Structures are given as C-alpha cells and as structure tokens.
Amino acid sequence: SKSISSGFLSTQTPDKLKIKGYFMLTYKAPLRDIKFLRNEMLDYQAHYKTLDNGAAADPESVDMILEGFADFAENILAPLYQPADAEGCTFKDGEVTTPTGFKEAYQQFVEGGWQAISYPEKFGGMNLPMSLNLIKSEMMGTANWPWAMYPGLTTGSINTILQYGDDEQKSVYLPKLISGEWSGTMCLTEAQCGTDLNQMKTRAVPNADGSYAITGSKIFISAGEHDLTENIIHIVLARLPDAPAGTKGISLFIVPKFLPNADGEADKRNAVVCGSIEHKMGITSSATCVINFDGATGFLIGEANKGLKAMFTYMNTARIGTGIQGLAHIELSFQNSLPYAKERRSMRALSGVKEPNQPADAIIHHADVRRMLLTQKAFAEGARSMIYHTARYADKLAEAVAKGDETAIKKWDDKMGFFTPILKGFLTELGIEAAKHGQQIYGGHGYIKESGMELIARDARIATLYEGTTGVQALDLLGRKVLLHGGGKAIRDYTAGIMKWCGEYALDKEMRKYIWVLTKLCAEWNMLTARLLLTARKDRDIVSAASDDFLMYSGYVMMAYHWARMAAVSFDKIKNGGGQPKEFYIAKTQTAEFYFEKILPRSSAHAESMTVPSETMMQMDIDHFAFLD
C-alpha cells in the first residue's frame, strides 16, 4: 500500500473508505435496479417461458444466483481492483504472473461454477439463459474490470466453438472452458493491421495428420498469457496457402497453449510463446500480450476461408461485453462520486445555507454537482436497460445455436447486430464522460491515485478502442447495418416498435411529454436516415463523415426510449402500488425528466452535424493541415 498525503486524509471524506492506504473504491451490486428491469419493465419471466432452458430460471433461483455472485463481486473482486492496478502484471521468459490475489479469486470463481451458468449441461454447464451470464458479467466487470477480462475472453471462445466447432472439438475443449479450468482468447490483430484484415499475414499450412502449422504474430491479445489456468485456448485468424485474397481468404483455428492428450488433459507444449506484454495507460492488471506462433499446431474451426463469419460470433460477444464495460465504469464512478459529494463540504449553496452546523455545505447541494451526479445516474440506469433488452436476443441466439437452427441463428444474430455497435460505441463513450464527472466531483483528489477516480478514467479509455474504435462501430452501424442492409430498414423497424409503444400511452397525462418527444424523434431519425441514404449516392464520403454523429444520435434516442419505459412503469407503481419502496419509483421519474430535459437535447446537435456535406472534412489538402516551418 501507498502512503497518503496528509492533505488527502481529510476529515471531509468518510473514514470507512480508508483501507490499506487507499481511499478504497467500493462497489455494491445494484440488485434493486437489476430486479426492476428483470421483473417490472422487461418481464424476464414471461421471456424465459419462451425458452427451452427458461424453466429453471424462476425468480427465486435467479435471485439466489445473483445475490451469490454479488457477494463474490463485492467482497472478493472489488478489494483487489486498486492494489492490482498498482502492482500490475509481471512478464519474465515468456511467462506472465498476475497481481496478488488474482489467482485465488479465480480459483473461487471456478469452484463456484460461475463460468458455467449459461452453457449446455452436456458440457458441464447449468443450462440457464445467456442473459444471466451477461448480468453476472456486469457485476464482475464493475467490481474489477481487468480481472473480469480473463474469464470474459473465454466466453467468446466458448460461443465460437459451440456454434462452429465439430463434435470432437466440442467434446475436447468445451468442458474445460466451461468449467473455467482452461481459458480462451481471440487472436485477430497484427502489427500492420487491426480492423483492416485484408492485410493479415499469419499463415496456416496443412499437416499430414489434418492439423495445421500456424505461423505469425498477433498483438494486443487480452489474457493471452497468465497464471490463472493450466491451459489457454487461442482462437486464431490465419490464411491457408491457396486462400483467396482479402477477407474472403481468412480461416479460423483453435490453437492450444498445451495440446490436449487422448484423455482431454493439457499435455505437450505447443509452439505458442508470449513475446511481451504491453505497458498501458490502464487495465494494467490485465495482461495484454504479443503472441508468437512458430509452426504451432492448430485445428480448423468451421469452413476454410470462412473464418471471418465465425469470428463475428466472437466479436458480437465481445462487443456486448465492451458495452457492459461502458456501464461498469459509469456505475462505479457514480457509486463512488455520490458518497463523496454527500461528505465533501465547500462554500454555501446559492439557495441558502443547508447545513448550518457545518463550516460549509456538502457539495451535493450545488446544482452543478447534481448535474454531474444525475448524468452518471441517468447513464448507468439507461445503459443497463439497453443492455438487458439486448440480452433477451442473446438468449434467443444461444437457443438457436443449441438447436443448430441456421434460420433462427441468422434472425437473432441480425437483431443483435443492430444493437451491438450502439452498445459498444455509444455506451463506452458515456463511460469516459461519467469517469470525467467523477474526477470533477472529487476535484483535485480525483487526480490522485489513492482516490481511485483516476483509475476509472484510465481504464474506461480502452473500452472505446478495442473490438473496434468508436469510429469503426459508427461506420458499421450507419454504413453496414442501416444503409447497406435494407436501405434504412433497421431504423424503420426499430422506430415502428417505439411508435407502437407510444400509442399505448398517448392519453396518459403523466407520459404525454415523453410520448410527444419520442414521436418527433422517430420521425426525425427516419428522415435523417433517408437523407443520408440519398446523399450517399453522390457523396460516398458522407457515410464516414456522418457516422459518428449518427451513432451518438441513435444512442441518445434509444436511451430516451428506455427512460420513457422506465418512467411509465414507475408512474404506474406510484399510482397503483405493488412495488417498494415508493421513493425508488419517484427517483426513476425524476431521473427520466432530467434525461429528457438536460441530456436528450444533445441529439439535436448531432442531427444538425450529420447532414453537413463531407466536403467540409475532405476539402483541405493533406499538406495544409499544419504549417510548422
């Protein structure tokens, strides 16, 4: 632990936060809000009745599972977060040692069977809906995001092998991955290319026994090497010798760190070596590795030259997970900003003295501080609702994969595909904003490591970069999901759902102002989409020029719809009862009002900006960007 300056050990901050030399970040799982979404707004129980594996997810069992994992997240993972950041990972001779306490926490995770929640019983899973795994991931990630990345990367490996692996691959790898005894990675990025996989150079040469010799180097591989599990299963993109050029010539391979023997146990070391770990701005306790493959033995997964399709299964999993990271940083910054704002005193409130027995009023009495706290709160609860809504599609997709129903797989994958760039791009940008507000609320203390607020800010930054930057997500949303596929059909279909819901509340006096705003936004969203579609016929660069504004606009409107729905449920509970405590619902309606009046107006600026011709960005000669001589 570090020593703390006497100035930071202020009597104005709660003593309970001073642990081992830190103003320790604390985390409490928001189980009341989680239950509100599951049971009162999104009606998970009715949804579970439509699933083959939903019967076991009754309210009592789900509550017990979530309460059990909340205890693990709050009391095991959260206390490790700051000390592990200070210690970081250690790299020596190709081996990585994780920070103190990580290995023991992971062992408890395995013993608790937490990795197995949403996977088939035939491979050792509990066969519960995938949405429960995503809720678990939220708690795990908010408590300690860098630690959560180790089992989190495994989730993508499991999903990929479940959907595309053959029977032998499933029987060899899934039991160990699902138990948590083995972990997984995604090996996509290379030094010369990230998103542009046309430039990928890793090669796969067929061996006589049906395996392949994988040669190449991958960078930025999260959890690529560590000491938590006895084996690491790399999911690797590579090219066959006769592969077509470009992305149509990419195949996907399973490359274990240790090759399994006939009994399915880790045996002979494969030619897979960690060359180094990155020195990063944040998530220092998560090992980000350079992984070198020197003729390593790999096994083709799925069809040759169709690896990119299979990789998108992994990517969609990862992108929802990264959206959860946005939520995690919003929630953690809010939970730790709130008690500080209640205790820290500075000046008197402009409306009059609030705490006459104190030398100054707590800063929560200042409207600007409340603006930041309410922004964090509105973002956290709105983001949670958006993710939990999408989680129901993840349940349907997982069921379709289990049945091998290709039609249903495409249907639910397409539905998720519309949401994933918004969840990933929009929510992670909000995570950075919420972390900034946390630092502002703490003032100078927010810049000091012991507060933990600067740690949230550092860790939040990576979420907008990996699995595709915000710009990549925006281009995917506007260019591929909206304009290319169906000429705006995704927006027409989604807004039609909003309008149908609005019709149910058109005469509700409490909801009238929300319904009116949403109705106008739905019309505007479709108009903007049509305008960009027409403009793109002559101005191709408009798609890239407008995409970031389109993404953020879409996110703000989507979150507004979720806040309106939360307000509708809350007004009903306030009026008719049936939920406790009443104050919970009053706070919901007040936060909805804040979102619509103080946050949602941002969408107007994005709407105006996205229609500006691309010439504004493209007309300057590249040699004229700077004159330094």
Side-chain angles (χ1 to χ4, degrees):
S1 63
K2 296 184 177 180
S3 62
I4 303 178
S5 68
S6 58
F8 190 75
L9 280 173
S10 166
T11 58
Q12 305 207 37
T13 301
D15 287 339
K16 68 184 180 68
L17 298 182
K18 300 169 189 172
I19 304 171
K20 295 182 180 179
Y22 290 90
F23 268 124
M24 186 68 77
L25 290 171
T26 59
Y27 170 66
K28 183 71 175 175
L31 293 175
R32 180 65 187 87
D33 199 55
I34 291 172
K35 184 176 289 189
F36 168 78
L37 292 174
R38 284 175 34 232
N39 298 341
E40 299 174 57
M41 193 184 110
L42 297 174
D43 197 0
Y44 264 42
Q45 288 310 306
H47 162 67
Y48 286 156
K49 290 178 182 178
T50 69
L51 302 174
D52 291 345
N53 64 343
D58 59 90
E60 293 76 16
S61 297
V62 170
D63 285 345
M64 183 174 66
I65 290 170
L66 296 183
E67 288 169 7
F69 197 80
D71 179 68
F72 176 74
E74 294 166 2
N75 297 305
I76 303 300
L77 297 183
L80 293 174
Y81 184 33
Q82 283 170 277
D85 174 74
E87 182 180 346
C89 292
T90 303
F91 175 76
K92 184 178 180 181
D93 299 329
E95 301 291 333
V96 172
T97 302
T98 54
T100 302
F102 268 37
K103 193 168 185 177
E104 293 77 9
Y106 188 83
Q107 188 56 40
Q108 291 187 49
F109 177 80
V110 172
E111 290 171 357
W114 295 115
Q115 188 72 286
I117 287 177
S118 297
Y119 294 110
E121 289 179 345
K122 66 185 291 187
F123 301 117
M126 300 181 190
N127 201 36
L128 290 167
M130 185 61 69
S131 52
L132 289 181
N133 194 58
L134 292 172
I135 297 172
K136 177 206 76 178
S137 296
E138 180 205 333
M139 291 190 281
M140 183 167 66
T142 310
N144 190 330
W145 183 264
W147 185 94
M149 291 183 70
Y150 293 98
L153 269 295
T154 305
T155 299
S157 300
I158 295 170
N159 291 345
T160 303
I161 296 172
L162 269 173
Q163 186 166 346
Y164 294 100
D166 59 32
D167 290 342
E168 182 181 0
Q169 289 168 344
K170 291 177 182 178
S171 66
V172 171
Y173 296 103
L174 288 179
K176 296 287 190 180
L177 290 169
I178 288 171
S179 71
E181 295 172 74
W182 294 358
S183 62
T185 75
M186 174 175 65
C187 296
L188 183 155
T189 305
E190 298 181 9
Q192 76 284 355
C193 70
T195 305
D196 184 6
L197 295 173
N198 283 305
Q199 302 179 56
M200 197 187 69
K201 296 180 179 179
T202 299
R203 298 292 173 183
V205 178
N207 294 321
D209 62 358
S211 66
Y212 294 81
I214 312 297
T215 301
S217 184
K218 301 286 185 177
I219 67 169
F220 300 158
I221 308 306
S222 299
E225 176 60 36
H226 54 79
D227 58 355
L228 304 183
T229 60
E230 63 182 14
N231 203 2
I232 301 172
I233 310 304
H234 301 286
I235 305 296
V236 184
L237 286 179
R239 291 186 185 279
L240 295 169
D242 57 352
T247 56
K248 294 182 179 180
I250 296 175
S251 299
L252 194 64
F253 299 86
I254 298 172
V255 186
K257 176 181 175 181
F258 292 95
L259 293 165
N261 60 22
D263 297 323
E265 300 297 330
D267 192 7
K268 181 182 177 182
R269 177 67 190 253
N270 206 353
V272 179
V273 178
C274 178
S276 64
I277 59 174
E278 306 295 349
H279 303 283
K280 301 168 296 187
M281 174 180 176
I283 57 168
T284 60
S285 49
S286 172
T288 305
C289 306
V290 173
I291 301 293
N292 298 317
F293 302 91
D294 187 12
T297 300
F299 306 93
L300 180 68
I301 179 171
E303 296 181 54
N305 303 321
K306 293 187 178 181
L308 201 59
K309 178 183 177 182
M311 179 55 75
F312 269 107
T313 296
Y314 203 135
M315 291 293 288
N316 277 338
T317 301
R319 285 172 176 170
I320 293 176
T322 309
I324 290 173
Q325 183 176 358
L327 167 58
H329 290 130
I330 299 167
E331 179 70 30
L332 192 62
S333 61
F334 172 64
Q335 285 198 17
N336 287 274
S337 296
L338 181 60
Y340 188 87
K342 289 179 178 179
E343 295 286 339
R344 180 73 175 181
R345 293 182 174 82
S346 181
M347 301 183 291
R348 293 298 185 183
L350 296 179
S351 57
V353 175
K354 305 301 181 186
E355 298 177 280
N357 295 327
Q358 297 293 340
D361 292 330
I363 62 174
I364 197 170
H365 295 295
H366 300 306
D368 185 58
V369 173
R370 289 203 174 203
R371 172 187 63 83
M372 292 185 284
L373 288 169
L374 281 167
T375 298
Q376 291 174 320
K377 178 178 172 63
F379 285 171
E381 295 173 20
R384 183 173 296 113
S385 184
M386 290 166 68
I387 290 170
Y388 285 22
H389 172 82
T390 309
R392 298 186 302 178
Y393 294 147
D395 286 337
K396 292 289 190 179
L397 178 59
E399 180 177 76
V401 170
K403 293 179 177 179
D405 185 341
E406 293 298 328
T407 301
I409 288 172
K410 185 179 187 308
K411 173 185 175 180
W412 297 111
D413 193 52
D414 286 347
K415 283 185 175 291
M416 281 182 61
F418 171 65
F419 290 98
T420 49
I422 298 174
L423 298 183
K424 198 282 182 187
F426 176 68
L427 297 185
T428 57
E429 291 290 342
L430 299 192
I432 292 176
E433 181 180 341
K436 179 200 74 173
H437 289 323
Q439 287 188 289
Q440 288 287 311
I441 290 167
Y442 271 66
H445 297 321
Y447 197 65
I448 296 171
K449 285 186 178 293
E450 285 83 358
S451 76
M453 301 310 288
E454 64 83 37
L455 171 55
I456 299 173
R458 285 189 288 111
D459 282 1
R461 194 65 188 87
I462 184 60
T464 63
L465 303 176
Y466 55 25
E467 318 308 341
T469 63
T470 303
V472 169
Q473 303 304 321
L475 196 58
D476 177 48
L477 175 66
L478 178 58
R480 194 157 69 92
K481 305 294 177 55
V482 173
L483 299 185
L484 186 61
H485 291 168
K489 185 177 184 298
I491 302 300
R492 292 194 298 273
D493 289 349
Y494 186 70
T495 53
I498 296 177
M499 292 302 297
K500 181 180 178 181
W501 180 85
C502 285
E504 299 173 9
Y505 290 89
L507 301 179
D508 188 316
K509 65 178 182 178
E510 299 283 5
M511 291 297 299
R512 192 171 298 149
K513 61 182 178 181
Y514 302 119
I515 298 305
W516 175 239
V517 172
L518 281 176
T519 300
K520 290 193 296 183
L521 285 170
C522 284
E524 182 180 57
W525 202 357
N526 279 287
M527 180 273 293
L528 290 168
T529 303
R531 184 170 174 178
L532 291 172
L533 182 64
L534 291 172
T535 303
R537 293 176 180 177
K538 295 182 179 180
D539 179 8
R540 298 300 295 273
D541 280 327
I542 192 65
V543 180
S544 179
S547 60
D548 183 76
D549 285 307
F550 189 87
L551 171 74
M552 298 304 291
Y553 177 92
S554 300
Y556 285 121
V557 175
M558 186 178 287
M559 187 173 281
Y561 172 47
H562 280 264
W563 265 113
R565 293 182 64 185
M566 287 188 277
V569 173
S570 297
F571 280 128
D572 178 70
K573 295 293 183 181
I574 293 168
K575 180 180 179 180
N576 300 313
Q580 297 295 333
K582 184 178 181 180
E583 291 75 15
F584 173 87
Y585 301 105
I586 294 173
K588 282 285 184 190
T589 62
Q590 292 171 340
T591 309
E593 183 175 5
F594 171 84
Y595 182 85
F596 268 77
E597 295 190 3
K598 289 290 287 186
I599 301 296
L600 187 56
R602 299 179 186 185
S603 64
S604 297
H606 289 295
E608 184 175 349
S609 180
M610 76 174 73
T611 58
V612 173
S614 69
E615 182 183 7
T616 302
M617 280 70 81
M618 305 306 293
Q619 63 185 344
M620 185 179 292
D621 189 288
I622 60 174
D623 293 328
H624 297 168
F625 270 79
F627 295 89
L628 303 178
D629 295 333

